[in-house]
Amino acid sequence: MDKNTEEFYARLKVELDMSNTWPALYLFKFIVPSESDNVIRVELAFDCMGAIIKTTKSKTGKFTSISVDVQVKDSQEIIDKYLEVSTIKGIISL
């Protein structure tokens, strides 16, 4: 992980800890290219967590937005999930 990415996640952790009490319900939002198994890979990342996952394809069908509502124990769990899905080609985390 490069220095800018490390700094981003460090700031995110501080902001999450200041604005939440743990455990908390957290909404992850992603956009992935609809091709391949991208949606499945995101869904698998939240498997066995009791997540509510909603997907919506774009008008052209090239992209899929994914919303994931899930109970998390702390800010580090959120950051770990972002890092886990960041390996998916073309994913955008919102």
Side-chain angles (χ1 to χ4, degrees), residues 22-87:
W22 307 109
L25 191 62
Y26 188 77
L27 174 63
F28 290 88
K29 288 188 167 193
F30 307 102
I31 297 173
V32 295
S34 296
E35 66 200 34
S36 184
D37 61 347
N38 291 334
V39 174
I40 293 168
R41 289 181 63 195
V42 172
E43 290 173 345
L44 287 174
F46 293 93
D47 195 29
C48 299
M49 291 182 68
I52 298 170
I53 301 173
K54 297 176 187 164
T55 61
T56 307
K57 281 198 175 192
S58 65
K59 276 188 197 178
T60 61
K62 291 182 180 178
F63 296 95
T64 301
S65 67
I66 306 168
S67 298
V68 182
D69 273 313
V70 66
Q71 187 82 11
V72 293
K73 65 179 188 244
D74 58 25
S75 58
Q76 189 59 50
E77 187 174 16
I78 293 170
I79 291 167
D80 291 344
K81 282 297 169 191
Y82 278 126
L83 291 171
E84 181 181 346
V85 299
S86 70
T87 61

